[in-house]
Every structure is written in structure tokens, then in C-alpha cells.
């Protein structure tokens, strides 16, 4: 298990730094992953040797920049098994991708009385855009509940799907790590004629992804959680759906022609990419995809799963009943995201104490307040792993948790 | 590195474990205000009963981290029985201790902050300053809503 981390840890310059004189233990990759040297180099090289605006200018470096961008698009296409590069829309992040669907597909397809089905484990990015649309269009939002182990409760799926035009749900919870039965939900939705949007922000960086196997119609994900830079993400959509959708934002690059009377939108994918894109970030994300493919996504998933199993086992053994870990107990049913409570100590205090041991975890509601309410908590602490974490990181976390007990335990 | 002992002073942990003036007040005559820290989900509810410009009674509810809840407890002790003018001085003085400049930068009045002095170390942990000021902003809101 630790073999992968032993090989990859040295690829990430930040992981060599210390914090307060201690080796950093980075356990917050669900928030953002660290970046390997190859990604930093690719972006640096782009700026040093090929910086020019894309899809305009007939000079040499403009051509190189345009090619670099479109090559990266093709890499993303193959990474998720998409049929065509026209289906890969670059946007800022998964949040913008969901907003694009809500704004463009939602406004042209949803009418008053239509329903959108979400789940109780959604990130705010897959809740608020639909609240905004509901307020504007009078659509109904419905919610798939969770069972006591943090799995989606699908017993009433058929009833809930009645009148639903869109099912939008997370492929991996950013709080519980839960991986729902994606294909089953997608098939049930399609039987009712509904469209399926997957929030893949946590899933795509960690699990081999093939949009055909998943059976979804849209997939949203961010580059910065998969070794890529911030500010770049992807919306994948079925070409037929994307073709029928109106543009999202207006501006340069997204047009074929503009007159004083109106405009003619560009072809896919540029129709949805108004303005100068984040070219260096696209190049960086392309390098991140190369890096992950070099490791192999099956190997990434195996590593995550066995490290998660180790964490669940050792943390429970050492801390017993004081520690509550949310989410499905079987590592195979979840990703490497562990939300936990330590006694009645608030997550912010846990994280503060862990920080003095150079252990970085997230504390708060994780942009999932409806889920926090379901769990009956205001906040949790969350440790999340990736390819560069090993059992020693988990041991450090476990040891540092003892200090939380020392400070806040019963007096 | 600032030490945890700068943040989690014994008196702070005491107010966290044994919060003073915890509870609710009937509204009216009291007024109620809610404050949220979107960063970590902390919630503070402040009830104030104001009569003749004096905070006759105050109660605090909500849930959150040790800093947000202990500050609310200490604040309730500090403002109870004080005039609006005194409360305002306390708030400005406390925020100055958190290195937050109010009212165009004038120097905060020298006021005895009592137990609240124990929170001086919070300023070394910038992320936690919001936890310590949440209840003060909520208090201000509840006093502004007085009939």
C-alpha cells in the first residue's frame, strides 16, 4: 500500500516542507490536492515558451498555445472515456460546471411544476444553483435521504422520480466518502425520461472514470483536486444535449459571427467557453492527467481503499468510542474521506490542536449544511487521503488526536 | 509557532465547559439575534433585555467551537448591567485587542475587560478571530433591534 506513496511523495515539492519544524502531514486532499513537479513545470514552460492567446493570431507561438490547449482537451476526453473532444467544456471548476447546466440546460428545459431530484449528501455547489433556479422558475426540489450508515436510501426512488426532469447527485460525498450506486440511479432516472448530472469533484480524481459506464448525461469536476492547478475544471456532456443548449456566458471565443442585430454561437465546445480561457491551467491539467494515467487510476483507487481501510481500523482501535467516523463502514463503498468527531470537542478545536503537530485536516461544515443537519452536527473534522499519503500519515493523525483528548478531555 | 496555551487558557476552557448566562429570554420584552460563522458553522444566539439604556439581562444560546462559545459566555458576564455606552466601549476595546480597528481608527478606550483579557492570545491565530468576534456582532444586532 505504502509503495505508491513512497514513489509519489517526492514528486510533490510542497510535501518536502516542514510546518513548525515538523514534517507536514497533508490530509486535506478532498479540499485540494497538492501539485506534482511535472504540473508546475508544464505551466512554467507554457509561460516561458508558448504564451499567446488561443484560437486567434496566425503566428507560431499562437499556434503552439492553441495546440497545447486542444491536446489537453483530448487528454481529458480519453481520461473519462468521452466520445469526442467537443464534449469537453473547460470551465473554472465543478461549481461553474454545475451552474452552466443549471443556467443553460435548466432554463431551457425546466418549467413550473417540474421537479429536480437531489440528495441529502450534496455539496452546496449542487444545491444552491438549483435553489436559485427554483426561485426563478417555480420548480420543485426533492431530496433522496440517507440511511444510518450514510448510504443513499433508495427505497422510495421510484416514487421520488415521478415528474422529475433532472437527477443531480454526487458520485462521491465530500463529507462521508459515500459512493452511491451511480448506474442504478442513472438507469432509473433514464427510464423516467430524466437527465442525469453527476458531481464528480471527489470521484474523478480517485476512481477510474468512464462516462459510458457511469451512464450519466453530464459530469462536472475540478482540476485542482486531481493534481492540477486551481481555476480550471470540466463539464462533460452528451453532444446531443450540449448542441441543443443555449450558450452560458457571452463574449469572445464563443461566437461564429456578431452583428449589430445579433450573434451566431460558435460550435462545441467553444460555444460554452466565452473569453480568454485559463490556458496555462488547461496545460497544467493536461499534465496532471498524464501524471495520473502514468500511475494508473486503478492503482490510485487501490491505494486509497487500502489506506482508508487502515485508517478506519487503526483510528477505531486506538480511540475507541471517543471517536465517531461518519459514512459507510466498508472501505470498498467509499472514498478516502473520513469525517469524524472526537468526543464533544468542536471540529475547529480538533483541527487547531492537530495543526500544532503539522497535521492538516479540514474543519467545518464542508459546504454541506443539509448533510450536517442530517448527521445532527454543526461541523466535523475531515481527513482525506490521496496518492502521496501513507500509513505513517495516519499514525501521525492518530497520535495527534491523543493531544486533543489531553486538552479537552474530561477534567 | 504560537503555543496552544496562548489560545486555550484555563479560564477560556472554564467558560467553554461551564458557560454563564446560557439560555433564552422571552421576546418581547427581550430581543433576539442570531449570528453565523460561515467558515466553520458556529452559531451564536444572543437575547438582550434593555431598559432605560441599560442591559438588564442577557442570555446566550447556540453551538460552536471553544473560542466562540467561551467568548459569548465572558461577554454576557461583561455586559450584564452595563449601559449602552459602556457596552460599546467594551466591544471597541475587545475588538482592538483582536486588532480590529473600529470607528475610523481612533484608539480604543482603556476598559477593564475582566475575564475577556484571557482571549488576548486569539490574535496570534488569525483564523480564530472571527470565532471571538461573532458574539459581539450578534450582540450589537440584538441591541439595534430593541423596540
Amino acid at each position: 500500500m505504502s509503495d505508491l506513496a513512497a514513489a509519489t511523495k517526492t514528486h510533490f515539492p510542497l510535501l518536502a516542507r516542514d510546518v513548525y519544524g515538523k514534517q507536514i502531514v497533508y490530509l486535506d486532499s478532498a479540499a485540494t490536492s497538492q501539485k506534482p513537479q511535472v504540473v508546475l513545470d508544464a505551466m512554467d514552460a507554457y509561460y516561458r515558451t508558448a504564451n499567446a492567446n488561443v484560437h486567434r493570431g496566425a503566428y507560431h507561438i499562437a499556434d503552439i498555445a492553441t495546440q497545447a490547449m486542444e491536446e489537453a482537451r483530448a487528454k481529458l476526453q480519453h481520461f473519462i472515456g468521452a466520445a469526442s473532444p467537443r464534449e469537453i467544456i473547460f470551465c473554472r471548476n465543478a461549481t461553474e460546471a454545475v451552474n452552466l447546466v443549471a443556467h443553460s440546460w435548466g432554463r431551457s428545459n425546466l418549467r413550473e411544476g417540474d421537479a429536480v431530484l437531489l440528495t441529502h449528501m450534496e455539496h452546496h455547489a449542487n444545491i444552491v444553483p438549483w435553489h436559485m433556479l427554483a426561485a426563478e422558475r417555480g420548480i420543485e426540489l426533492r431530496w433522496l435521504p440517507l440511511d444510518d450508515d450514510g448510504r443513499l436510501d433508495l427505497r422510495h426512488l421510484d416514487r421520488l422520480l415521478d415528474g422529475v426532469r433532472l437527477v443531480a447527485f454526487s458520485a462521491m460525498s465530500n463529507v462521508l466518502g459515500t459512493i452511491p450506486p451511480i448506474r442504478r440511479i442513472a438507469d432509473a432516472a433514464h427510464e423516467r425520461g430524466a437527465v442525469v448530472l453527476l458531481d464528480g469533484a471527489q470521484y474523478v480524481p480517485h476512481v477510474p472514470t468512464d462516462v459510458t459506464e457511469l451512464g450519466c448525461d453530464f459530469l462536472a469536476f475540478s482540476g485542482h483536486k486531481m493534481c492540477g492547478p486551481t481555476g480550471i475544471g470540466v463539464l462533460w456532456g452528451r453532444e446531443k444535449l450540449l448542441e441543443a443548449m443555449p450558450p452560458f456566458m457571452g463574449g469572445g471565443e464563443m461566437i461564429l459571427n456578431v452583428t449589430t442585430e445579433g450573434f451566431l454561437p460558435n460550435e462545441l465546445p467553444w460555444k460554452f467557453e466565452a473569453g480568454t480561457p485559463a490556458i496555462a491551467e488547461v496545460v497544467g491539467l493536461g499534465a496532471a492527467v498524464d501524471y495520473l494515467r502514468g500511475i494508473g487510476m486503478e492503482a490510485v483507487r487501490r491505494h486509497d481503499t487500502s489506506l482508508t481501510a487502515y485508517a478506519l481500523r487503526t483510528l477505531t482501535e486506538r480511540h475507541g468510542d471517543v471517536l465517531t467516523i461518519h459514512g459507510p463502514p466498508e472501505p470498498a463503498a467509499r472514498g478516502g474521506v473520513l469525517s469524524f468527531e472526537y468526543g464533544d470537542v468542536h471540529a475547529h478545536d480538533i483541527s487547531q490542536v492537530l495543526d500544532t503537530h503539522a497535521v492538516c485536516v479540514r474543519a467545518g461544515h464542508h459546504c454541506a449544511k443539509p448533510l450536517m443537519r442530517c448527521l445532527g452536527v454543526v461541523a466535523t473534522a475531515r481527513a482525506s487521503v490521496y496518492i502521496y499519503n501513507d500509513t505513517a500519515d495516519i499514525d501521525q493523525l492518530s497520535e495527534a488526536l491523543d493531544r486533543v483528548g489531553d486538552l479537552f478531555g474530561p477534567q | 509557532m504560537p503555543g496552544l496555551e496562548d489560545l486555550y487558557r484555563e479560564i477560556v476552557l472554564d467558560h467553554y465547559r461551564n458557560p454563564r448566562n446560557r439560555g433564552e429570554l422571552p421576546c418581547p420584552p427581550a430581543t433576539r439575534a442570531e449570528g453565523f460563522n460561515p467558515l466553520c458553522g458556529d452559531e451564536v444566539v444572543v437575547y438582550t433585555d434593555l431598559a432605560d439604556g441599560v442591559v438588564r439581562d442577557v442570555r446566550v444560546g447556540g453551538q460552536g467551537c471553544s473560542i466562540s462559545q467561551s467568548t459569548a459566555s465572558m461577554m454576557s458576564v461583561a455586559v450584564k448591567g452595563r449601559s449602552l455606552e459602556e457596552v460599546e466601549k467594551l466591544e471597541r476595546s475587545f475588538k482592538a485587542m483582536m486588532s480590529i480597528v473600529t470607528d475610523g481608527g481612533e484608539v480604543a478606550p482603556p476598559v477593564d475587560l475582566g475575564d475577556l483579557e484571557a482571549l488576548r492570545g486569539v490574535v496570534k491565530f488569525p483564523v480564530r478571530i472571527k470565532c471571538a468576534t461573532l458574539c459581539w456582532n450578534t450582540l450589537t444586532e440584538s441591541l439595534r433591534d430593541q423596540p
Side-chain angles (χ1 to χ4, degrees):
Chain A
M1 157 180 32
S2 306
D3 292 353
L4 181 58
T8 59
K9 214 156 198 164
T10 56
H11 300 162
F12 294 80
L14 185 135
L15 297 177
R17 71 159 287 170
D18 62 36
V19 174
Y20 317 132
K22 300 184 182 85
Q23 175 74 40
I24 194 169
V25 177
Y26 187 75
L27 291 170
D28 198 17
S29 294
T32 195
S33 74
Q34 293 304 333
K35 322 301 175 199
Q37 186 69 47
V38 285
V39 168
L40 307 180
D41 287 347
M43 294 175 73
D44 190 60
Y46 164 76
Y47 276 129
R48 285 175 190 280
T49 65
N51 178 47
N53 214 328
V54 291
H55 300 124
R56 53 205 101 173
Y59 48 90
H60 182 58
I61 58 169
D63 203 30
I64 297 177
T66 303
Q67 271 183 39
M69 178 157 174
E70 296 310 316
E71 274 167 20
R73 196 188 304 276
K75 288 174 187 176
L76 267 303
Q77 175 205 342
H78 298 303
F79 190 65
I80 61 167
S84 155
R86 288 187 300 277
E87 297 182 333
I88 302 292
I89 314 293
F90 285 122
C91 37
R92 274 197 306 145
N93 43 36
T95 297
E96 189 171 282
V98 173
N99 276 275
L100 194 165
V101 175
H103 196 92
S104 173
W105 182 89
R107 283 174 159 193
S108 46
N109 286 279
L110 297 175
R111 267 151 216 93
E112 192 171 342
D114 286 344
V116 170
L117 180 60
L118 309 170
T119 84
H120 276 155
M121 65 174 197
E122 295 315 306
H123 188 283
H124 294 166
N126 194 29
I127 297 176
V128 181
W130 307 113
H131 272 315
M132 290 163 72
L133 200 61
E136 185 189 309
R137 287 291 159 101
I139 58 170
E140 177 198 353
L141 301 188
R142 289 188 201 155
W143 304 85
L144 265 173
L146 296 168
D147 68 17
D148 290 343
D149 279 336
R151 294 186 196 82
L152 286 184
D153 178 353
L154 300 181
R155 282 175 302 172
H156 307 295
L157 179 61
D158 273 343
R159 185 172 52 76
L160 283 166
L161 278 173
D162 193 37
V164 162
R165 301 288 313 279
L166 175 80
V167 183
F169 65 104
S170 169
M172 181 193 287
S173 161
N174 70 313
V175 176
L176 304 169
T178 305
I179 301 175
I182 297 165
R183 186 63 197 235
R184 188 179 150 197
I185 299 170
D187 286 350
H190 286 149
E191 267 174 40
R192 302 299 193 90
V195 163
V196 176
L197 163 66
L198 263 191
D199 170 3
Q202 298 294 335
Y203 184 92
V204 174
H206 294 270
V207 187
T209 301
D210 183 302
V211 288
T212 313
E213 280 175 25
L214 291 172
C216 54
D217 302 296
F218 294 110
L219 174 70
F221 58 101
S222 292
H224 71 94
K225 295 186 204 289
M226 49 188 282
C227 299
T230 52
I232 189 69
V234 170
L235 172 69
W236 168 83
R238 289 186 194 277
E239 191 166 344
K240 259 192 177 166
L241 287 169
L242 294 173
E243 280 291 0
M245 284 158 56
F248 174 36
M249 287 188 280
E253 185 119 340
M254 53 73 71
I255 51 90
L256 281 182
N257 190 26
V258 182
T259 64
T260 49
E261 282 74 41
F263 76 98
L264 191 61
N266 202 340
E267 295 167 15
L268 288 175
W270 306 291
K271 175 168 97 175
F272 292 107
E273 295 178 357
T276 296
I279 308 166
E281 285 73 14
V282 167
V283 169
L285 180 54
V289 165
D290 286 342
Y291 178 74
L292 287 172
R293 291 190 81 157
I295 293 169
M297 288 306 293
E298 286 80 11
V300 172
R301 175 64 182 151
R302 270 198 308 277
H303 170 80
D304 278 1
T305 309
S306 66
L307 195 53
T308 304
Y310 178 82
L312 289 169
R313 194 172 61 242
T314 55
L315 291 172
T316 308
E317 268 168 21
R318 181 159 180 154
H319 302 284
D321 292 342
V322 185
L323 190 76
T324 308
I325 301 175
H326 296 288
E330 326 79 45
R334 61 185 298 158
V337 181
L338 293 139
S339 276
F340 59 90
E341 287 168 78
Y342 189 90
D344 58 0
V345 185
H346 189 275
H348 224 156
D349 294 314
I350 295 175
S351 152
Q352 190 83 60
V353 176
L354 297 186
D355 176 59
T356 60
H357 296 269
V359 177
C360 312
V361 300
R362 170 86 187 265
H365 52 61
H366 316 294
C367 300
K369 286 197 93 168
L371 174 55
M372 293 291 115
R373 176 173 274 203
C374 292
L375 297 175
V377 299
V378 284
T380 69
R382 180 188 72 183
S384 51
V385 303
Y386 206 16
I387 44 179
Y388 34 69
N389 293 116
D390 54 22
T391 54
D393 293 337
I394 303 299
D395 295 343
Q396 276 279 104
L397 165 68
S398 195
E399 255 181 72
L401 279 173
D402 281 343
R403 305 286 85 76
V404 177
D406 294 346
L407 194 61
F408 286 97
Q411 298 292 303
Chain B
M1 168 184 60
L4 285 180
E5 61 280 3
D6 288 329
L7 188 64
Y8 298 125
R9 301 271 303 276
E10 200 43 55
I11 197 162
V12 173
L13 293 175
D14 178 58
H15 275 271
Y16 177 48
R17 294 194 183 101
N18 311 295
R20 329 290 201 260
N21 300 307
R22 185 90 187 160
E24 302 175 1
L25 289 174
C27 305
T31 54
R32 174 184 189 278
E34 274 179 5
F36 296 94
N37 180 348
L39 183 76
C40 55
D42 285 352
E43 298 171 13
V44 170
V45 188
V46 177
Y47 297 85
T48 46
D49 185 359
L50 194 71
D52 304 325
V54 171
V55 178
R56 216 162 44 178
D57 205 354
V58 59
R59 289 284 187 280
V60 175
Q63 44 191 338
C65 71
S66 59
I67 301 303
S68 71
Q69 301 304 306
S70 64
T71 313
S73 169
M74 293 180 198
M75 177 191 78
S76 72
V77 174
V79 302
K80 200 167 171 175
R82 300 294 190 101
S83 70
L84 282 176
E85 197 187 338
E86 289 171 316
V87 169
E88 197 217 345
K89 275 185 187 165
L90 277 167
E91 179 181 356
R92 273 169 52 206
S93 183
F94 182 80
K95 287 191 170 172
M97 188 169 82
M98 295 294 117
S99 75
I100 296 168
V101 181
T102 49
D103 290 356
E106 66 182 273
V107 178
V111 177
D112 179 12
L113 285 169
D115 283 0
L116 288 161
E117 278 286 342
L119 291 158
R120 189 169 287 281
V122 172
V123 76
K124 296 179 193 166
F125 299 83
V127 175
R128 306 303 289 272
I129 290 174
K130 272 191 176 168
C131 308
T133 50
L134 175 65
C135 62
W136 287 100
N137 296 335
T138 313
L139 174 74
T140 306
E141 202 183 314
S142 89
L143 290 173
R144 200 178 47 220
D145 293 346
Q146 292 287 335

